[in-house]
Amino acid sequence: LNAWGPAPAVVAAVRAACEAAHIADYPDPIAMAPRRAAADAWGCPVDAVAFGAGASELLQAACTAFVARGDIVVVPAPTYGEYARAARLAGATIRSIPPRGDGTTLDLAGVARAVRAGGVRMVMLCTPNNPTGERPSPTRVRALADRCHDAGTLLVLDESYDAFLRTPVGGPSLAGHPAVLHLRSLTKEHALAGLRVGLAQGPPALIARLEAHRAPWPTSTPAQAAAVAAFASAAQAHVRDTVARLRRERVRLAQACTALGLRPRSGVTHTLLLDVGNADAARHVLLRDAGVHVRSCASFGLPHLVRIAARRPAEGDRLLAALAAVRATAALHLPSPVDR
């Protein structure tokens, strides 16, 4: 998340929405205000946008709407675990596409081959990817979308980390593509995880089908107010300023971690992967000895890597001091070139 927190204008909008006169009433069941705000920002019709309780809720709705028991859903690894979980809950068979190279690079060619072979109902792709920060080539993503269209496959394209790119797309990257359902989260760059704020964008027919398969009243009045405020100029300026600070801090962290021998992996967002040999052990030691919480990537199939995120400089200093301390006591086992 954005360590600088939500914009003051967004906080004010949420507070106003929490007044008794508002929370005593049901929220707008079709969330027209945030959908209109997104549509205006992205230059698309309002019926091409759905508003949800975070991208994960919309992902669940998409699987309910478009996946039947026994359907094949393709998910390239390593990536966000909720893709496979949501598809399994819908009864799908997951076809995982192994990574290329060092185990952190998505194999889009392998995904395309799976689609070309036929019988694939849905492909889920995260770009920039979580947890690696990899951004597949936009040209290759478009080519994959075209391949999906030819095969009658739906591409669910999760762009929730777009705002952390050096040059964000700012909206759905393949808006108007008939085979693509975009997911976008406002909880990351606007630091709204506690409110659950996400959007889906795609052809109106896809959005209508998604909406028809969702539970009623999926979002709250404060969440809708936060989304409207997040699209306003003050909040957008806040994100541009704070993300720029996070990107500068990421450079500093990468340089310091390199000096510690932690081999940071390159990515395009504000996060870094560090090679610590045993990710679960490193997470435990850092939390126990320094109260610092890093993300073990073992659940992503990367048991030797932890993910860290750029935050405010003082927090970065605390993290670096903790890493140096456990490194000095050999609490972290760093792999040798032979191990690798």
Side-chain angles (χ1 to χ4, degrees):
L1 300 178
N2 186 342
W4 295 93
V10 174
V11 175
V14 172
R15 285 176 173 159
C18 288
E19 293 178 358
H22 297 296
I23 61 174
D25 296 327
Y26 282 99
D28 177 5
I30 61 172
M32 182 54 69
R35 289 170 59 208
R36 184 177 290 117
D40 290 345
W42 297 339
C44 67
V46 70
D47 60 356
V49 179
F51 180 70
S56 292
E57 186 262 328
L58 290 164
L59 173 65
Q60 293 277 356
C63 288
T64 301
F66 299 108
V67 176
R69 184 164 300 278
D71 281 349
I72 296 173
V73 173
V74 169
V75 183
T79 197
Y80 183 43
E82 282 300 309
Y83 302 142
R85 179 177 181 274
R88 286 195 184 97
L89 288 173
T93 298
I94 308 302
R95 185 173 296 170
S96 179
I97 306 300
R100 297 188 295 110
D102 63 359
T104 63
T105 304
L106 300 179
D107 184 5
L108 262 62
V111 174
R113 285 193 297 272
V115 172
R116 186 166 54 246
V120 175
R121 183 68 188 97
M122 180 183 288
V123 171
M124 297 182 183
L125 179 64
C126 187
T127 175
N129 191 31
N130 175 18
T132 63
E134 175 195 3
R135 186 192 185 198
S137 159
T139 301
R140 298 189 69 188
V141 174
R142 179 175 288 277
L144 176 61
D146 293 342
R147 174 69 65 186
C148 287
H149 181 249
D150 293 342
T153 300
L154 178 64
L155 174 60
V156 176
L157 192 59
D158 186 350
E159 300 179 314
S160 293
Y161 284 90
D162 172 72
F164 295 98
L165 296 173
R166 183 179 299 279
T167 305
V169 177
S173 62
L174 295 176
H177 197 291
V180 179
L181 179 70
H182 300 82
L183 297 181
R184 298 186 68 92
S185 171
L186 300 184
T187 63
K188 309 292 190 298
E189 70 267 30
H190 290 281
L192 298 173
L195 282 176
R196 312 308 304 140
V197 182
L199 295 139
Q201 193 279 340
L206 292 184
I207 295 298
R209 182 168 172 176
L210 182 149
E211 292 282 23
H213 287 79
R214 297 173 71 190
W217 317 107
T219 63
S220 68
T221 297
Q224 293 185 32
V228 172
F231 279 104
S233 58
Q236 292 294 311
H238 172 83
V239 167
R240 287 193 298 271
D241 174 62
T242 53
V243 168
R245 298 186 205 181
L246 293 174
R247 292 189 65 85
R248 290 193 294 270
E249 178 66 4
R250 179 191 180 279
V251 172
R252 184 179 79 97
L253 290 178
Q255 292 171 343
C257 288
T258 298
L260 289 172
L262 292 173
R263 300 173 183 156
R265 306 293 181 92
S266 61
V268 295
T269 67
H270 66 310
T271 63
L272 289 168
L273 296 182
L274 304 180
D275 195 335
V276 296
N278 185 323
D280 285 344
R283 175 186 177 277
H284 173 74
V285 169
L286 289 166
L287 189 58
R288 181 195 66 196
D289 295 350
V292 170
H293 187 194
V294 299
R295 176 69 156 89
S296 167
C297 292
S299 63
F300 296 101
L302 302 169
H304 57 299
L305 299 176
V306 297
R307 185 186 65 195
I308 64 172
R311 295 184 61 82
R312 300 189 185 207
E315 294 173 282
D317 290 342
R318 184 180 173 193
L319 169 65
L320 292 170
L323 289 170
V326 296
R327 178 73 177 94
T329 60
L332 294 183
H333 163 64
L334 300 181
S336 68
V338 173
D339 293 330
R340 292 173 58 82

